[in-house]
Amino acid sequence: MIDKRDAKLSLGFLSVSFIALFIGAIAGLLQTLVRSGTIELPLHIGYYQLLTAHGVLLALIFTTFFIVGFLYAGISKTMGALYDVPRRTAWLGFAMMTFGTILATIFILLNKATVLYTFYAPLQASPWFYVALVHVVVGSWLCAFSMWNQYYIWKRRTKNKLSPLFSYMAVMTMALWFIATLGVAATVILQFIPWSIGWVDKIDILISRTLFWYFGHPLVYFWLLPAYMCWYVVIPKIIGGKIFSDALARLSFVLFLLFSIPVGFHHQLLEPGISHSWKFFQVVLTFMVIVPSLMTAFSMFAVFETAGRKKGAKGLFGWFKVLPWKDVRFFAPMMGMLIFVPAGAGGIINASHQLNQVIHNTLWVTGHFHLTVASTVALTFFGIAYWLVPYLSGRTLTPQMNKLGIIQTIMWTVGMAFMSGAMHLVGLFGAPRRTAYTTYSDHPQAMDWVPYQAAMAIGGTILFIAILLLMYIIGYLAFKAPKGEMDFPVGEVEEEAAATPVILENWKLWVGICAALILIAYTIPFWHMIEHGPPGSTGYKFW
Amino acid sequence: MHIHKYEKIWLWSGAVCLTIFLLIVGVSAYAMGNQPPSHMETIDPQKAALTAPFDKPALTKIGDNEYEAIMLAQAFTFTPSKMTVPKGSTVHFKVTSTDVVHGFQIPATNVNMMITPGYVSKISHTFDKPGKYLILCNEYCGVGHQVMAVTLEVTS
Amino acid sequence: MPQLQRKTNEKVKVKKEKELLGTLLSVMGVGLFVVLSWAAVYLLYLSR
């Protein structure tokens, strides 16, 4: 058991995360029902208002709170109890983030911020919505500072010992997050807030979009890296194996830091004002960030095969059968990993320069990130929660809850297969994303999309039932399960694995290269936007 | 750093595949002109509807089987709202927004681009099959976003 | 000392690499899936 005070801190973050997940899931269910034409919303609730709530609460709040809570627990486990300053800073961060979350939720529910979670200008929300977002981001920065501070003190006290793999990855994840959120903080603080209050009349749209997507792509890696931490560090222990290579695991995280940020243009491939050569350059950089995922795929299979062979599995694929399929701590993340195969393939297609014209802003994209963040990442997080929540609350994961967790995972996978599968297909036919139920005056093409939207609603309903089941399991594990000691699984490295080169902990070097790549990829096109930008836009409230 | 032989094989094959993908899209973009829409011309978004050529949005014949469609995107429609061209025509769309960000997409074609206020977006397409083509907005633009669509008829 | 050094080196050389053929085939399967999906969408792009 980690220090009680750290357990409380981690549980604090996890609680907000699960409340956000539940509210976001309700919005999600209603959206699929509206879009299939099954129901109409009562009480003047708008489809786009739900969509805003769904995006903000799930993509930003559920993920960030869960990640920070998980990282604190793992840091306390691998580096020892948090020192005083880092812990106090963490609570301050928690308070700011939670305040921001509540404020944002209120303004979304008041219909004062129906701008979706990407809040593209010149749609103009209440200034309070942007102020709320700043609180979430700055609060998360305090958490980043606090984790770095912990690492720094630990390094000094241990006379520069090699950091534990989990903590190294936590420091890297927060470094990525901090560098990425500088962009969104800049656009919100320098552009959106003065403009929505009325201090300035106009906003430069392309600059705000570019700053947003400078943040928007590393955001998806911020979701993914903690899932990879579970795969690299936790899963080997659960399946009775060893970490394949400490050095390669760290190297992959270094590569994520370097290549996940200077690639935001691949979200802006179809917009004017950015020359196609800079777009193509960032497409090439985007392809570089695929490499660490290829490394991860190999590492994971290698861990499975090595562990299986140690257990005596024979033949080419005998090891696959002896994996602990009946242990939800393995099963849920494993489903997440398998789903990452189509998810990753879709991602490569999305980033392929002009191929983006086939799928941009269609439901294919929605289907894509419901495989990445809402399946790969979410299932891994659920798999973590099943042991982390009882671990932190001094209880145990009972066999019964384990079984329910497996059922929950299967339901999630099946529900997502329906919903995301239908989204991918109908997206290829051209159905737009982020659009309420419509047949475009009964246009035959749009009529062809309706059955797929019904399949999305079936999937959405299954997913919602799975969320209810998840809430029950988590509630039981937090408050009702029998008291006892759980294990926080942390894998050990193979004895014969090569030593980890010191250079992987040279932060100045990696952050320096990261900054250089960002400057190379962004300086000239960004300067062009400023120098040759059109007059700005006034705000619109079209909802 | 020691890397297993099979991992080297895997990483090299991955790298080769990714390079081939990049070469295919790169050659298609730079040698054959299939670039994603990246037009650099700007316009004052507040005065877009008063600025030529967008003060008279229309479909004009500019050559044999060649048309230019000057279009305005505004919440929640496109102007002109009805257009007709014969089969085999190439249409050059030139679009700008008078208010918020919109999308411009013709489902089941490669016509797909963002309409950012302050910029002029351009894309061309040859319509080989007759039919009523939907032109729809695929970026959330407000409460009426789902009705923002017009049609382009291609006659045989 | 030099002798000892050589001995360890030999030991490293003799030690066989891990049996990971199943891993290689699995990741190659993943790679094949990626290539096929990419090619499918590329053909769709060409046909439109």
Side-chain angles (χ1 to χ4, degrees):
Chain A
M1 178 74 180
I2 56 169
D3 188 289
K4 280 232 161 60
R5 292 163 299 174
D6 298 346
K8 207 170 139 195
L9 174 72
S10 179
L11 276 175
F13 280 102
L14 297 185
S15 312
V16 178
S17 133
F18 280 104
I19 295 170
L21 175 62
F22 185 59
I23 305 174
I26 296 174
L29 171 72
L30 293 174
Q31 281 158 237
T32 60
L33 295 179
V34 172
R35 176 130 200 196
S36 58
T38 316
I39 59 162
E40 271 175 44
L41 292 166
L43 310 166
H44 303 289
I45 304 171
Y47 174 83
Y48 301 107
Q49 195 183 354
L50 287 177
L51 194 48
T52 309
H54 183 75
V56 169
L57 287 172
L58 295 183
L60 299 177
I61 304 302
F62 160 65
T63 50
T64 309
F65 274 83
F66 188 92
I67 290 166
V68 172
F70 173 51
L71 297 193
Y72 272 123
I75 285 176
S76 179
K77 167 79 185 173
T78 58
M79 285 200 297
L82 294 179
Y83 304 112
D84 283 342
V85 175
R87 189 184 297 114
R88 256 180 278 147
T89 320
W91 277 113
L92 190 60
F94 173 81
M96 273 190 88
M97 287 170 70
T98 308
F99 172 74
T101 302
I102 295 170
L103 193 62
T105 311
I106 291 174
F107 277 83
I108 294 168
L109 295 180
L110 288 174
N111 201 20
K112 299 267 187 213
T114 304
V115 291
L116 308 192
Y117 96 96
T118 44
F119 55 89
Y120 291 142
L123 286 171
Q124 191 185 58
S126 156
W128 292 107
F129 174 72
Y130 305 115
V131 169
L133 293 183
V134 170
H135 277 79
V136 175
V137 169
V138 175
S140 72
W141 286 355
L142 291 178
C143 297
F145 301 155
S146 130
M147 289 182 206
W148 299 340
N149 188 220
Q150 174 77 9
Y151 171 88
Y152 177 78
I153 302 172
W154 186 90
K155 279 294 242 186
R156 220 180 35 200
R157 296 207 176 164
T158 57
K159 304 221 165 54
N160 227 6
K161 215 173 104 183
L162 177 74
S163 58
L165 182 58
F166 188 102
S167 294
Y168 173 88
M169 290 171 151
V171 168
M172 188 67 89
T173 304
M174 294 315 274
L176 174 89
W177 174 248
F178 179 72
I179 299 171
T181 43
L182 287 173
V184 72
T187 181
V188 170
I189 294 170
L190 301 176
Q191 293 190 288
F192 280 93
I193 291 180
W195 170 71
S196 61
I197 293 177
W199 292 339
V200 295
D201 294 342
K202 290 181 179 175
I203 189 166
D204 188 305
I205 293 165
L206 187 58
I207 287 176
S208 75
R209 292 172 67 82
T210 303
L211 287 170
F212 182 87
W213 284 115
Y214 163 92
F215 150 80
H217 196 71
L219 169 67
V220 312
Y221 282 95
F222 174 69
W223 301 329
L224 193 61
L225 290 191
Y228 276 24
M229 290 167 74
C230 169
W231 302 356
Y232 271 118
V233 182
V234 174
I235 292 292
K237 179 79 174 186
I238 292 175
I239 66 167
K242 295 271 172 74
I243 295 172
F244 177 63
S245 162
D246 178 272
L248 286 176
R250 286 176 204 244
L251 177 64
S252 75
F253 269 55
V254 166
L255 294 176
F256 280 123
L257 176 74
L258 298 187
F259 294 112
S260 69
I261 305 171
V263 297
F265 282 173
H266 77 239
H267 291 257
Q268 300 176 281
L269 286 170
L270 305 191
E271 61 191 71
I274 306 167
S275 83
H276 49 67
S277 296
W278 283 108
K279 289 176 180 172
F280 191 72
F281 182 68
Q282 292 208 6
V283 165
V284 174
L285 288 176
T286 309
F287 273 51
M288 302 289 288
V289 82
I290 298 164
V291 174
S293 282
L294 298 182
M295 291 167 62
T296 305
F298 190 91
S299 285
M300 293 325 298
F301 280 114
V303 168
F304 298 154
E305 182 164 4
T306 316
R309 291 197 184 281
K310 249 182 219 160
K311 285 184 198 161
K314 294 272 178 292
L316 263 185
F317 295 107
W319 46 272
F320 196 73
K321 277 181 238 144
V322 300
L323 289 168
W325 295 102
K326 288 184 175 156
D327 183 344
V328 72
R329 299 174 308 159
F330 165 77
F331 183 65
M334 181 63 181
M335 283 297 139
M337 286 181 224
L338 293 177
I339 293 173
F340 200 54
V341 176
I348 298 175
I349 292 165
N350 299 346
S352 291
H353 208 51
Q354 69 274 40
L355 289 205
N356 192 253
Q357 281 168 244
V358 179
I359 51 83
H360 181 73
N361 272 355
T362 68
L363 272 169
W364 161 287
V365 177
T366 319
H368 166 69
F369 63 72
H370 278 85
L371 289 188
T372 55
V373 66
S375 299
T376 301
V377 171
L379 280 174
T380 304
F381 287 3
F382 298 165
I384 292 168
Y386 291 140
W387 55 263
L388 184 60
V389 168
Y391 172 83
L392 295 172
S393 43
R395 298 175 190 273
T396 50
L397 171 62
T398 59
Q400 196 196 4
M401 287 301 126
N402 183 64
K403 196 177 261 174
L404 279 183
I406 287 180
I407 295 172
Q408 200 275 342
T409 307
I410 294 171
M411 287 179 72
W412 194 266
T413 310
V414 171
M416 205 52 94
F418 270 99
M419 193 179 85
S420 177
M423 284 173 164
H424 274 93
L425 281 173
V426 77
L428 287 178
F429 303 150
R433 69 186 278 205
R434 298 180 149 181
T435 303
Y437 179 69
T438 176
T439 55
Y440 294 112
S441 318
D442 293 343
H443 190 281
Q445 248 176 334
M447 297 301 276
D448 286 346
W449 302 337
V450 173
Y452 293 89
Q453 289 163 0
M456 282 157 53
I458 293 170
T461 309
I462 299 173
L463 288 166
F464 187 71
I465 299 170
I467 282 288
L468 292 178
L469 186 54
L470 177 82
M471 290 297 148
Y472 171 72
I473 301 171
I474 297 296
Y476 184 88
L477 292 175
F479 304 111
K480 280 267 169 71
K483 299 246 177 202
E485 278 274 312
M486 284 278 296
D487 182 32
F488 188 128
V490 176
E492 289 151 25
V493 181
E494 294 273 5
E495 293 87 15
E496 67 257 44
T500 303
V502 197
I503 195 168
L504 290 171
E505 277 201 283
N506 189 336
W507 299 100
K508 276 183 197 142
L509 175 69
W510 303 124
V511 173
I513 299 178
C514 170
L517 283 171
I518 292 168
L519 289 176
I520 293 169
Y522 272 111
T523 308
I524 296 176
F526 199 71
W527 173 80
H528 190 275
M529 284 173 208
I530 296 171
E531 197 72 356
H532 301 280
S537 287
T538 51
Y540 295 88
K541 295 184 177 73
F542 283 154
W543 66 84
Chain B
M1 210 177 302
H2 176 73
I3 298 182
H4 192 282
K5 191 176 81 189
Y6 290 164
E7 180 158 12
K8 281 184 192 153
I9 297 177
W10 160 240
L11 290 179
W12 275 111
S13 2
V16 167
C17 273
L18 293 177
T19 312
I20 293 173
F21 290 171
L22 283 174
L23 281 174
I24 293 174
V25 294
V27 167
S28 161
Y30 284 91
M32 292 143 80
N34 296 320
Q35 293 282 10
S38 311
H39 200 55
M40 306 300 276
E41 191 186 327
T42 61
I43 187 169
D44 184 343
Q46 259 68 234
K47 298 183 189 127
L50 307 170
T51 313
F54 297 100
D55 54 341
K56 293 188 191 93
L59 177 77
T60 330
K61 190 165 183 178
I62 54 168
D64 279 350
N65 283 334
E66 219 169 338
Y67 292 80
E68 185 179 51
I70 306 288
M71 297 182 75
L72 272 181
Q74 56 198 120
F76 301 102
T77 190
F78 295 98
T79 328
S81 61
K82 277 215 161 61
M83 292 177 285
T84 310
V85 295
K87 190 178 89 174
S89 308
T90 300
V91 183
H92 305 287
F93 297 96
K94 197 171 174 184
V95 194
T96 197
S97 164
T98 61
D99 42 48
V100 297
V101 177
H102 295 284
F104 186 93
Q105 184 198 342
I106 305 181
T109 70
N110 290 330
V111 177
N112 193 346
M113 62 180 175
M114 301 302 300
I115 314 298
T116 317
Y119 288 87
V120 177
S121 299
K122 280 170 130 182
I123 200 161
S124 300
H125 187 72
T126 305
F127 294 88
D128 290 324
K129 277 187 215 137
K132 263 195 170 180
Y133 287 80
L134 256 183
I135 299 178
L136 57 85
C137 171
N138 65 9
E139 182 59 86
Y140 168 65
C141 55
V143 72
H145 165 57
Q146 70 280 5
V147 302
M148 184 163 170
V150 296
T151 50
L152 173 102
E153 193 170 351
V154 178
T155 54
S156 48
Chain C
M1 268 316 266
Q3 262 183 338
L4 200 76
Q5 191 74 38
R6 200 183 306 143
K7 243 184 194 166
T8 13
N9 274 349
E10 269 166 24
K11 212 170 152 193
V12 170
K13 261 182 210 158
V14 170
K15 203 171 67 189
K16 268 212 308 202
E17 287 227 281
K18 260 189 239 146
E19 180 63 63
L20 289 179
L21 193 56
T23 300
L24 181 66
L25 292 176
S26 307
V27 286
M28 284 301 182
V30 171
L32 187 69
F33 180 84
V34 170
V35 170
L36 291 180
S37 356
W38 193 88
V41 176
Y42 184 67
L43 291 177
L44 190 61
Y45 172 81
L46 288 183
S47 73
R48 281 180 168 179

